[in-house]
C-alpha cells in the first residue's frame, strides 16, 4: 500500500524545521532560510514574545501537566479561567459555556455522538473537514449531505430530514473551507436553519482570531454570531499555534458534553503551558491596540500575495481569506 501511495504521489514526507515557527524558517534540507507560506500561523503568534513568556510562566507556576482527565483531578483554576475567557470572547457569558479539548479534532469527534440520537439528523456540508466526517460516523443520527455552500440543497436536505421524522436536525459546516479558501455563506445558512427550526454547528478553526472585524470568526464576518448555536474551534492555529480545541455554546449543551463526550472524558487535560499561551493569544486579539496591527499585517500580506500571483498569470481560488490556493 505504501508503494501504491508513492506511485500515486500521495505519500507524505515531513519537512523538518530547525527554528521556531515563523514566516521565515530554516529546514534541514536547506542551508538558507526559506519563506513559509503553508503554516496556519495566521497572526504570527506561534513565537510571539507575550505568548511564549506566558507559556513559560504557567509552566513554572502550574507544572508540566496534570496526569489526569478533567473530571478526576485534571482541572485547575487556569482551565476554568480559559473556558470563561473563550465564552466571553464569543459574548456568551450570560447563558453560555465553553469546554476545552486536546484538539479541535477531538471536539468534533465528541460533539455529535453526545448530542444526537438515532431519532435525530445531521445535515453536513459535502466538503466538511475530515474531523467532522469522522465525528458524524460515530453518532447514530440519520445522515444527510448537502452540496458545498448550496443553501437550496441544504433546504431540500432539511426537508428530507423532517419528512423522515427526525426530531433534532443539526446542520454542520466549516466556517471556512481550508482547502479552497472559501467562506461559508453563514447568513443564508442561518436563514434556512431557522426556517426549519434546526440547530447550527460551525467548525471555525480557520477563522477564529482573525476573520471578522475583531477576529471573532466567520460568525462575526457574516454578522450572525448570535444565530450560531455551537462553535468548535482550535487554539492551535491563529491563537498561538500549539494545541487544544474547544466547543462553545449553550451552557446546558456544554454540560452534556462534559458528562458524555468521550474525547473529553478519556483524554488528559490541556497542559498548563498551552493554557497560558492560549490565554495570552486571546488577550492580544481581544485588545484593539494589539489586534489592529496583527490583522492589518495579515490582510496586507494576503492582498499583496494575491495581487502579485495574479499579475504573474496564476489562477487563484478563494476570496476574502488568507488561504489562497
Amino acid at each position: 500500500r505504501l508503494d501504491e501511495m508513492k506511485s500515486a504521489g500521495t505519500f507524505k514526507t515531513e519537512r523538518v524545521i530547525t527554528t521556531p515557527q515563523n514566516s521565515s524558517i530554516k529546514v534541514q534540507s536547506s542551508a538558507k532560510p526559506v519563506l513559509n507560506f503553508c503554516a496556519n500561523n495566521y497572526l504570527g503568534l506561534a513565537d510571539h514574545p507575550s505568548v511564549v513568556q506566558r507559556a513559560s510562566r504557567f509552566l513554572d507556576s502550574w507544572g508540566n501537566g496534570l496526569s489526569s482527565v478533567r473530571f478526576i483531578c485534571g482541572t485547575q483554576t487556569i482551565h476554568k479561567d480559559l473556558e470563561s475567557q473563550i465564552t466571553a470572547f464569543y459574548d456568551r457569558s450570560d447563558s453560555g459555556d465553553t469546554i476545552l479539548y486536546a484538539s479541535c479534532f477531538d471536539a468534533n469527534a465528541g460533539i455529535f455522538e453526545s448530542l444526537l440520537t438515532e431519532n435525530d439528523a445531521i445535515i453536513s456540508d459535502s466538503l466538511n473537514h475530515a474531523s467532522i466526517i469522522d465525528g458524524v460516523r460515530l453518532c447514530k443520527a440519520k445522515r444527510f449531505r448537502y452540496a458545498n455552500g448550496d443553501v437550496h440543497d441544504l433546504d431540500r436536505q432539511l426537508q428530507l430530514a423532517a419528512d423522515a421524522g427526525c426530531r433534532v436536525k443539526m446542520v454542520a459546516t466549516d466556517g471556512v473551507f481550508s482547502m479552497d479558501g472559501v467562506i461559508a455563506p453563514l447568513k443564508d445558512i442561518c436563514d434556512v436553519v431557522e426556517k426549519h427550526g434546526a440547530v447550527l454547528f460551525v467548525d471555525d478553526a480557520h477563522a477564529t482570531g482573525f476573520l471578522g472585524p475583531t477576529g471573532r470568526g466567520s460568525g462575526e464576518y457574516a454578522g450572525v454570531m448570535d444565530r450560531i448555536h455551537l462553535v468548535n474551534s482550535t487554539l492551535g492555529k491563529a491563537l498561538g499555534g500549539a494545541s487544544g480545541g474547544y466547543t462553545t455554546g449553550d451552557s446546558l449543551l456544554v454540560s452534556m458534553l462534559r458528562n458524555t463526550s468521550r474525547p473529553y472524558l478519556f483524554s488528559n487535560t490541556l497542559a498548563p503551558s498551552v493554557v497560558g499561551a492560549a490565554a495570552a493569544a486571546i488577550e492580544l486579539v481581544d485588545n484593539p491596540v494589539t489586534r489592529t496591527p496583527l490583522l492589518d499585517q495579515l490582510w496586507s500580506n494576503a492582498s499583496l500575495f494575491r495581487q502579485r500571483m495574479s499579475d504573474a498569470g496564476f489562477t487563484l481560488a478563494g476570496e476574502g481569506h488568507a488561504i489562497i490556493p
Side-chain angles (χ1 to χ4, degrees):
R1 185 178 174 188
L2 289 174
D3 288 338
E4 292 175 355
M5 293 168 68
K6 291 177 181 178
S7 298
T10 58
F11 184 82
K12 299 170 184 63
T13 58
E14 297 175 350
R15 300 177 181 89
V16 180
I17 301 173
T18 61
T19 61
Q21 185 67 280
N22 205 296
S23 57
S24 177
I25 56 176
K26 290 184 179 180
V27 295
Q28 282 187 349
S29 57
S30 174
K32 297 180 179 180
V34 297
L35 293 178
N36 181 5
F37 287 92
C38 56
N40 296 314
N41 187 24
Y42 292 104
L43 299 176
L45 300 184
D47 67 340
H48 190 283
S50 296
V51 174
V52 174
Q53 289 166 13
R54 185 77 62 85
S56 178
R57 179 158 62 84
F58 272 45
L59 178 64
D60 292 339
S61 300
W62 295 96
N64 184 58
L66 276 296
S67 301
S68 173
V69 299
R70 284 284 298 269
F71 77 94
I72 297 179
C73 58
T75 298
Q76 296 170 314
T77 54
I78 57 173
H79 296 95
K80 301 303 293 183
D81 290 344
L82 179 57
E83 287 172 338
S84 296
Q85 184 181 12
I86 294 170
T87 304
F89 184 73
Y90 285 91
D91 197 22
R92 295 175 183 248
S93 295
D94 289 342
S95 60
D97 196 4
T98 297
I99 177 173
L100 293 172
Y101 286 88
S103 67
C104 188
F105 200 112
D106 276 356
N108 287 345
I111 192 166
F112 305 113
E113 182 184 26
S114 297
L115 299 182
L116 301 175
T117 72
E118 65 273 10
N119 299 315
D120 304 321
I122 177 73
I123 304 93
S124 184
D125 190 287
S126 61
L127 293 186
N128 275 340
H129 190 267
S131 58
I132 296 179
I133 295 171
D134 285 358
V136 170
R137 287 172 177 165
L138 292 172
C139 80
K140 297 179 180 179
K142 295 179 177 63
R143 304 171 192 173
F144 300 84
R145 188 171 70 167
Y146 66 97
N148 177 234
D150 187 336
V151 293
H152 299 293
D153 194 26
L154 171 61
D155 189 32
R156 285 191 292 270
Q157 298 303 320
L158 278 164
Q159 188 58 55
L160 288 173
D163 294 343
C166 297
R167 186 186 58 179
V168 176
K169 300 178 288 295
M170 180 182 287
V171 175
T173 181
D174 284 354
V176 174
F177 296 91
S178 60
M179 296 302 293
D180 303 304
V182 172
I183 303 171
L186 287 182
K187 185 179 184 302
D188 294 335
I189 289 174
C190 284
D191 291 342
V192 175
V193 165
E194 290 166 3
K195 170 186 172 183
H196 290 270
V199 175
L200 179 57
F201 159 86
V202 175
D203 177 337
D204 228 18
H206 288 275
T208 302
F210 63 95
L211 195 63
T214 66
R216 264 63 178 174
S218 59
E220 182 185 45
Y221 176 86
V224 295
M225 282 184 67
D226 59 341
R227 300 170 69 186
I228 300 171
H229 300 93
L230 292 158
V231 174
N232 278 10
S233 197
T234 181
L235 305 173
K237 291 182 170 61
L239 298 180
S243 59
Y246 58 85
T247 297
T248 190
D250 179 83
S251 58
L252 290 177
L253 295 178
V254 171
S255 181
M256 179 66 77
L257 292 174
R258 288 194 195 280
N259 284 275
T260 62
S261 178
R262 293 169 70 85
Y264 178 80
L265 291 171
F266 299 105
S267 294
N268 268 16
T269 188
L270 276 186
S273 57
V274 174
V275 173
I282 294 172
E283 287 176 12
L284 289 170
V285 174
D286 218 11
N287 184 344
V289 175
T290 48
R291 176 180 65 236
T292 299
L294 292 171
L295 293 183
D296 287 350
Q297 183 70 63
L298 171 66
W299 297 118
S300 175
N301 287 347
S303 176
L304 178 63
F305 179 80
R306 181 175 287 278
Q307 182 62 52
R308 293 290 178 86
M309 293 296 284
S310 296
D311 291 346
F314 289 90
T315 299
L316 305 174
E319 182 179 1
H321 197 275
I323 297 173
I324 308 175

